[in-house]
Amino acid sequence: MVKVHWLLALATLFLFSCKIQTYEISEQSLTQRIGNRYYIDVGTIEKLPSEKATFTVKTDSFLYLRGEDELRLKTGWTLQGGTGREEIIKEYSITTAAIRVVNASEIKVENLILKGEIYADSNRQALILIDNLGDHNNGILIENVKLYDYYSGVWIRRGENVTINRCTLVGNGHQVYLGFLPTDRNEIANYVVDNVDIQNTTITNGRGGVGEDGVKTLSNCTNILIQGCAISNNPGDAIDLYPGGVDVKIIDNQLTNNGVHGVEVKMNREYLPAQTGQISAVLIERNRIIGNQFTGITVLNDTATPYYAKGIKVVNNIIDSSRKQGIYAELPLEIIGNTFNYNGRDVRTTPSGKTLGFQGVFFYKSDKKELISFRKNTITDQAPVNSIDGVYWLGFTEVVSPVMVDSNYFQVTEDFLRQYATKPYGISFYNSIAPASKDSIERANRFSDRLIPKVNVENN
């Protein structure tokens, strides 16, 4: 009997130890009233034991965080709203986050509104900031959270296995920041971000200048998935991969009306691959990339360095109404099965005063050994600008990388001919190595009859 009693006692102790503690954050609990505001009592919460716990926010008004306060979440904690309409307002600060996770995992933040009271233009803070060093890999979930008016909505400085799902980010600077670039270059390699999923999330109306993006990678970022998101009206790029990004998948998103590019990929001499990783294995697939102010996709090279972004595939996207090129690339890409419509809506003026249009897809000075593959694409009505003729829809200038161009359809509509150019051009190789003879390229692709010339090869 004594043995049975001990077993029962141990079982009871085990069940008690596994019990999830529950707390309420409201005007009546875990807050302090100062004037007319209720502030979350972060000091008391910090002293709570490190055990599984759920904190439910309940308020019909607002709860506040002081400028100097941060709500620090421990392993196993969930912070959630009772209805999804509860709002926590972070007072002005350029030195603190609203919610900070440091060396902790098994965390959920869900069904809440987080908002900066006054926009803080500080490049070191976020409404949710994650800084996990070492083995804290049991997952962080941020779901159905609305994040407004801070420098960053979510910033993962370092950490792994983070999911951002069904969230809304509005009015932040860099809305989602991945990685960190400390001033001590020797420390950059310590800021690793791995296995991050950003799904079904709206990222819109960002603040700041052209350098403020929807999603931006910084230091060594690997296994990044951005899927099913609507990223629009941000002052910079929708997605900026610089200087890190290995095994990045950008799939089924709407990337529209951003101030610079839909997607930008680049490396340069400033950061070494040993610090930030070698950008590679980037898949851009089934996205609608529409109305961005510079290009749909830009891939840049720095000729002063031997390293460059590799393995970039652009597959089955709709790239439409970019003000400049649909795609601008200084490196080899695989471009397969895409639809290009009405890119090149802007004009440029040469030093001599001549007005020119922008090409739909333009490769410039690519000299790498990898193959440029442009296949099975449909290119329709590029450079829709009044009275601008002579714009090639696909251009190669000073390109010595090997090139394959086949099974594409270059199509011009009657509406385009009536409203815009009367002499649309097809493919241009200028001071470049053409993949085959002019006649062979014409036979390998389809062209509307009104595209004259279909292919031009010119070397000076």
Side-chain angles (χ1 to χ4, degrees):
M1 289 295 295
V2 173
K3 183 176 181 181
V4 173
H5 288 163
W6 271 108
L7 290 172
L8 181 62
L10 285 171
T12 303
L13 179 62
F14 176 77
L15 289 172
F16 180 78
S17 66
C18 293
K19 182 180 179 183
I20 298 176
Q21 301 299 311
T22 59
Y23 302 93
E24 179 179 300
I25 302 176
S26 66
E27 286 84 350
Q28 292 76 38
S29 176
L30 293 176
T31 57
Q32 298 174 334
R33 181 172 180 174
I34 301 176
N36 293 323
R37 293 186 171 186
Y38 287 88
Y39 290 90
I40 296 175
D41 187 351
V42 297
T44 297
I45 293 172
E46 179 73 22
K47 294 174 184 175
L48 293 173
S50 298
E51 57 189 359
K52 289 183 180 294
T54 297
F55 296 81
T56 301
V57 179
K58 295 183 178 180
T59 178
D60 293 327
S61 180
F62 310 111
L63 299 181
Y64 289 83
L65 281 165
R66 295 181 186 88
E68 65 270 20
D69 285 347
E70 296 178 326
L71 182 54
R72 294 186 170 233
L73 302 185
K74 300 179 183 180
T75 293
W77 282 14
T78 293
L79 176 67
Q80 65 183 19
T83 67
R85 296 188 297 272
E86 290 79 11
E87 189 166 326
I88 297 174
I89 298 177
K90 169 72 172 176
E91 291 184 336
Y92 178 80
S93 174
I94 60 171
T95 58
T96 58
I99 295 171
R100 187 181 291 261
V101 176
V102 178
N103 298 337
S105 61
E106 296 182 66
I107 286 171
K108 294 181 183 178
V109 182
E110 55 189 3
N111 302 326
L112 270 177
I113 300 171
L114 301 174
K115 185 176 182 181
E117 184 174 33
I118 300 172
Y119 176 71
D121 190 10
S122 165
N123 64 0
R124 292 183 177 271
Q125 298 309 324
L127 289 167
I128 299 176
L129 191 147
I130 298 167
D131 193 357
N132 279 346
L133 177 62
D135 248 349
H136 304 279
N137 56 7
N138 289 331
I140 296 172
L141 173 63
I142 303 167
E143 187 165 50
N144 193 29
V145 178
K146 297 178 174 65
L147 303 115
Y148 300 119
D149 301 334
Y150 218 62
Y151 181 75
S152 289
V154 179
W155 190 349
I156 307 169
R157 286 193 185 176
R158 50 189 164 188
E160 55 185 317
N161 300 335
V162 180
T163 297
I164 301 169
N165 186 41
R166 294 192 299 112
C167 292
T168 300
L169 295 92
V170 180
N172 306 289
H174 285 294
Q175 305 230 50
V176 178
Y177 235 171
L178 304 177
F180 183 53
L181 296 173
T183 52
D184 184 350
R185 298 298 175 88
N186 295 321
E187 291 294 318
I188 293 175
N190 294 326
Y191 288 87
V192 175
V193 175
D194 181 56
N195 196 24
V196 173
D197 291 355
I198 305 169
Q199 295 180 293
N200 310 310
T201 288
T202 297
I203 302 172
T204 190
N205 294 330
R207 297 201 190 199
V210 295
E212 320 301 304
D213 307 307
V215 179
K216 178 166 179 59
T217 62
L218 291 168
S219 51
N220 201 331
C221 298
T222 57
N223 300 307
I224 309 299
L225 172 66
I226 305 169
Q227 184 171 27
C229 297
I231 308 178
S232 65
N233 295 299
N234 297 288
D237 306 323
I239 299 169
D240 183 5
L241 304 184
Y242 168 74
V246 177
D247 194 8
V248 179
K249 294 180 175 63
I250 301 168
I251 302 173
D252 293 328
N253 302 286
Q254 307 270 346
L255 311 178
T256 59
N257 299 317
N258 294 282
V260 187
H261 310 293
V263 179
E264 182 175 14
V265 183
K266 62 180 181 288
M267 299 180 70
N268 65 23
R269 72 197 79 179
E270 193 172 355
Y271 299 103
L272 301 175
Q275 298 168 332
T276 63
Q278 169 84 47
I279 291 182
S280 61
V282 177
L283 174 64
I284 305 170
E285 184 174 18
R286 296 196 309 271
N287 303 281
R288 294 175 61 85
I289 306 174
I290 299 173
N292 296 289
Q293 291 300 301
F294 280 66
T295 73
I297 298 171
T298 281
V299 180
L300 299 178
N301 178 46
D302 185 341
T303 57
T305 64
Y307 48 86
Y308 52 93
K310 297 181 179 181
I312 302 169
K313 296 182 179 180
V314 182
V315 181
N316 295 335
N317 301 278
I318 295 173
I319 303 176
D320 195 321
S321 300
S322 309
R323 292 201 65 84
K324 300 185 187 301
Q325 295 92 353
I327 294 178
Y328 172 85
E330 298 173 354
L331 294 169
L333 308 180
E334 230 180 304
I335 303 174
I336 303 172
N338 302 278
T339 299
F340 297 88
N341 299 314
Y342 274 71
N343 299 290
R345 295 180 296 118
D346 211 342
V347 296
R348 56 196 174 96
T349 304
T350 67
S352 64
K354 185 178 181 180
T355 302
L356 300 175
F358 287 94
Q359 293 160 317
V361 178
F362 183 44
F363 285 88
Y364 182 61
K365 288 189 175 181
S366 177
D367 61 355
K368 309 307 179 188
K369 64 182 180 180
E370 290 83 6
L371 175 69
I372 296 173
S373 179
F374 192 84
R375 298 183 293 118
K376 300 181 180 179
N377 302 286
T378 300
I379 306 96
T380 303
D381 295 350
Q382 304 300 292
V385 181
N386 287 323
S387 303
I388 300 292
D389 285 325
V391 178
Y392 285 94
W393 290 4
L394 171 62
F396 299 86
T397 295
E398 298 181 40
V399 170
V400 296
S401 297
V403 175
M404 175 187 291
V405 180
D406 71 66
S407 304
N408 303 289
Y409 181 27
F410 294 80
Q411 170 179 245
V412 60
T413 66
E414 291 299 324
D415 284 345
F416 180 85
L417 294 171
R418 274 195 302 270
Q419 295 181 53
Y420 301 112
T422 58
K423 297 177 182 178
Y425 291 180
I427 306 172
S428 168
F429 291 91
Y430 179 75
N431 287 345
S432 299
I433 299 176
S437 70
K438 174 181 169 181
D439 291 342
S440 297
I441 297 168
E442 288 189 8
R443 287 194 299 271
N445 298 275
R446 291 174 58 206
F447 299 86
S448 291
D449 291 339
R450 298 291 292 274
L451 279 161
I452 302 173
K454 295 178 175 63
V455 178
N456 183 62
V457 179
E458 180 181 351
N459 292 300
N460 292 331

